[in-house]
């Protein structure tokens, strides 16, 4: 069974739509194998998004991700990485398909409601970032 990491980002938690998103997770065949409520430090957010550290939006991204509570959720299902990316939609909600989580709940390309791992390899690494194997359900 494949794993991927969802993070319900601070914009979505502030809007109080985490329940809607968790319902969509369950209705689309994902199993929740880990879930936390956490306010990231700048160090944690910078480390999680280290791949983007040379990008012009990196500082804003770290500021946004530390601006409120996040809900990291470890997900499992067949083809989890691709299926989760399909359900969340494009990075920019203006380009996201109707019915996707970002189309429904994102504010903008930066404040875009949820994270999704981009490869099977990163899915494993990112789940491990928030959930030690001993805490996986
Ligand atoms: P993804 O979340 O769809 O995988 P990435 O390109 O990996 O998109 O970017 C990571 C996060 O950085 C995005 O989800 C978004 O919050 C932010 N981001 C990406 N591109 C931009 C941009 O052009 N301006 C501002 N923020 C951005
Ligand atoms: Mg990405």
């Amino acid at each position: 069974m494949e794993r991927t990491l969802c993070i319900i980002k601070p914009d979505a938690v502030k809007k109080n739509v985490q329940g809607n998103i968790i319902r969509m997770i369950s209705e689309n065949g994902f199993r929740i194998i880990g879930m936390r409520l956490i306010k990231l430090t700048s160090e944690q957010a910078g480390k999680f998004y280290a791949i983007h550290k040379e990008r012009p939006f990196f500082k804003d991204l770290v500021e946004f991700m530390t601006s409120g509570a996040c809900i990291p959720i470890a997900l499992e299902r067949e083809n989890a990485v691709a299926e989760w990316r399909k359900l969340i939609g494009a990075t920019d909600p203006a380009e996201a398909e109707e019915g996707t989580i970002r189309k429904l709940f994102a504010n903008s390309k930066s404040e875009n409601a949820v994270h999704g791992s981009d490869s099977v390899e990163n899915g494993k690494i990112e789940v491990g970032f928030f959930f030690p194997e001993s805490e996986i359900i």
Side-chain angles (χ1 to χ4, degrees):
M1 213 42 107
E2 197 170 289
R3 289 179 182 178
T4 193
L5 184 74
C6 158
I7 304 175
I8 304 179
K9 296 185 180 183
D11 60 318
V13 177
K14 277 183 196 135
K15 279 190 201 169
N16 208 19
V17 295
Q18 63 275 12
N20 308 54
I21 294 170
I22 291 167
R23 175 187 287 266
M24 288 176 77
I25 287 172
S26 302
E27 287 176 347
N28 284 276
F30 295 91
R31 199 166 77 82
I32 294 174
I33 59 172
M35 179 155 67
R36 301 173 61 185
L37 178 69
I38 181 177
K39 190 165 184 294
L40 294 175
T41 64
S42 300
E43 196 188 346
Q44 284 173 311
K47 198 174 156 205
F48 184 78
Y49 280 117
I51 192 160
H52 295 306
K53 65 176 181 294
E54 306 304 331
R55 306 282 282 276
F57 58 80
F58 180 71
K59 191 169 163 283
D60 288 345
L61 177 59
V62 169
E63 257 170 44
F64 163 57
M65 289 301 291
T66 57
S67 68
C70 281
I71 305 175
I73 307 176
L75 300 176
E76 190 176 74
R77 67 160 278 177
E78 247 171 63
N79 210 12
V81 170
E83 292 295 336
W84 179 241
R85 296 290 311 197
K86 196 160 82 187
L87 186 60
I88 71 179
T91 307
D92 184 346
E95 289 164 17
E97 302 246 358
E98 290 299 327
T100 60
I101 292 173
R102 282 167 166 171
K103 184 69 171 192
L104 288 166
F105 303 119
N107 294 331
S108 64
K109 191 175 183 182
S110 51
E111 301 195 0
N112 59 3
V114 281
H115 170 78
S117 306
D118 63 4
S119 68
V120 175
E121 185 59 24
N122 283 336
K124 283 186 211 154
I125 294 168
E126 291 180 355
V127 165
F129 189 92
F130 290 103
F131 304 96
E133 196 56 42
S134 60
E135 289 179 16
I136 294 282
I137 305 298

